[in-house]
Amino acid sequence: MTVSSAPGKVYLFGEHAVVYGEPAVPCAIERRATVTVERRDDDHVRVRASDLSLNGFTVEYAGSTDDRPDVDVPAPLVEAAMGYIDAAVEQARDAADAPGVGFDITVESEIPLGAGLGSSAAVTVAGIDAATRALGAPLSAEAVADRAYRAESMVQDGQASRADTFCSAVGGAVRIEGDDCRAIETPNLPFVVGFDGGAGDTGELVAGVRALKSEYGFADDTVTAIGDIVRTGERLLDPEVDTDADTLVELGRLMDFNHGLLEALGVSSRSLDSMVWAAREAGAHGAKLTGAGGGGCIVALDPTPETLTALRFTPGCDEAFRAELATDGVRRLE
Ligand code: MEV
């Protein structure tokens, strides 16, 4: 039996625009998905998920995964979760040159599904790491990141960047621009997350931005402007530059700007906007949605307890918590 965990993430800046080659800065956070893998003697794959914002489900299948048993949870959520697990299994089989091998897989996650915190990347990364080790073919964190990216791209019809999967595999703060992925240093960033209890469909949201971009030049310019925000913001993260309160103020202002542009691209929602405004009114340096949007989470920058308290009293906010940077990416537990 092998057990691996991988962290979720928040985006300081750059989601959506990163799909079109602009830079982005996601940061891994200490909320993890843990995947346990045991090799089977047959070619069946049995998946048990105890908490993916679902009530939990167990499915077993062999061969084609289109032929899934009925389970008593909303089909789109099961489909989403299963899609990533299937793709991770395929990548692990391919990496270990073990086609058709079967597994018992258990997924436990502290990261709500489809909420912008990188649950699918974390499950995919931890799954590939645990499954390749179960097959006696362990991969480096970078190779796991690459396999996980291929898995995500498959599920999202080719519309994925390397950001979520690289961040989850290597941990810490990272900078992604196209295929160029690297770990970066950041000052201590006091992240507060607000979660509306909902989820967005990443594939649909990415397709919506793509359609807007191809219809309107100004939507295309909006994507480039998000890249300009990242290029401006990353200068403030330079470890050579002294970090002071003004740095956080400036980073917050850029986060606010980034949220405005994501809103213009149609990926925010009433509840995300209302959490963003609650954070700003509580004195956060800045706040924005994180991840694909449509529902899910916002991230704010506030070293004081004010934003956390305000979010907990904001109608539409289900849960609020302080998110620590996860310095480890994929972790091998057994
Ligand atoms: C989703 O967490 C982030 C997006 O930029 C999609 C991607 O980068 O693959 C919306």
Side-chain angles (χ1 to χ4, degrees):
M1 182 177 81
T2 50
V3 186
S4 300
S5 79
K9 57 102 232 308
V10 292
Y11 273 86
L12 182 60
F13 310 116
E15 55 272 88
H16 282 287
V18 69
V19 174
Y20 308 99
E22 297 294 343
V25 179
C27 302
I29 60 167
E30 263 318 330
R31 284 227 160 184
R32 291 186 164 260
T34 302
V35 179
T36 302
V37 172
E38 213 152 350
R39 197 176 161 165
R40 291 172 64 113
D41 295 334
D42 57 22
D43 65 350
H44 288 218
V45 175
R46 181 172 185 274
V47 180
R48 199 170 69 79
S50 56
D51 184 6
L52 285 168
S53 311
L54 310 172
N55 299 325
F57 64 88
T58 301
V59 291
E60 179 168 339
Y61 53 87
S64 162
T65 53
D66 296 338
D67 187 22
R68 292 205 182 115
D70 284 343
V71 286
D72 187 23
V73 282
L77 281 177
V78 174
E79 285 302 319
M82 291 303 298
Y84 291 104
I85 294 167
D86 288 352
V89 164
E90 259 335 293
Q91 287 299 324
R93 285 170 170 161
D94 185 60
D97 197 16
V101 68
F103 298 105
D104 282 329
I105 298 176
T106 305
V107 181
E108 290 156 287
S109 180
E110 306 163 341
I111 313 165
L113 198 66
L117 297 182
S119 60
S120 56
V123 168
T124 309
V125 164
I128 291 175
D129 189 69
T132 46
R133 288 192 301 119
L135 295 173
L139 301 174
S140 67
E142 286 72 19
V144 170
D146 183 56
R147 289 281 177 180
Y149 163 66
R150 293 194 229 171
E152 271 212 344
S153 297
M154 242 168 66
V155 181
Q156 291 167 211
D157 295 328
Q159 305 197 85
S161 74
R162 292 183 179 271
D164 292 20
T165 40
F166 184 79
C167 184
S168 183
V170 308
V174 302
R175 180 191 193 274
I176 309 298
E177 186 170 6
D179 289 339
D180 179 26
C181 305
R182 54 185 75 181
I184 59 169
E185 296 288 323
T186 62
N188 180 29
L189 298 171
F191 289 131
V192 180
V193 172
F195 173 39
D196 68 5
D201 180 326
T202 301
E204 242 170 56
L205 290 152
V206 171
V209 171
R210 187 180 294 278
L212 270 184
K213 224 174 94 55
S214 63
E215 188 170 356
Y216 300 111
F218 50 79
D220 197 41
D221 294 343
T222 303
V223 167
T224 311
I226 291 177
D228 291 338
I229 290 175
V230 184
R231 284 179 278 272
T232 305
E234 68 187 349
R235 288 200 280 275
L236 300 165
L237 300 175
D238 186 338
E240 306 289 306
V241 174
D242 273 349
T243 308
D244 54 18
D246 289 350
T247 310
L248 290 184
V249 171
E250 183 62 11
L251 284 171
R253 183 187 294 163
L254 294 171
M255 287 169 76
D256 285 343
F257 217 123
N258 195 161
H259 180 76
L261 297 182
L262 288 166
E263 217 277 320
L265 291 172
V267 298
S268 193
S269 70
R270 186 182 284 265
S271 56
L272 293 175
D273 287 345
S274 108
M275 292 191 290
V276 160
W277 276 105
R280 290 175 184 164
E281 283 169 5
H285 293 309
K288 59 183 278 299
L289 69 84
T290 176
C297 291
I298 64 131
V299 58
L301 217 50
D302 187 358
T304 78
E306 300 302 323
T307 296
L308 192 59
T309 307
L311 284 172
R312 286 184 175 148
F313 287 99
T314 302
C317 178
D318 237 38
E319 197 190 335
F321 56 92
R322 194 166 274 293
E324 302 297 332
L325 189 74
T327 47
D328 284 355
V330 63
R331 251 185 221 155
R332 294 177 172 172
L333 307 172
E334 244 177 83

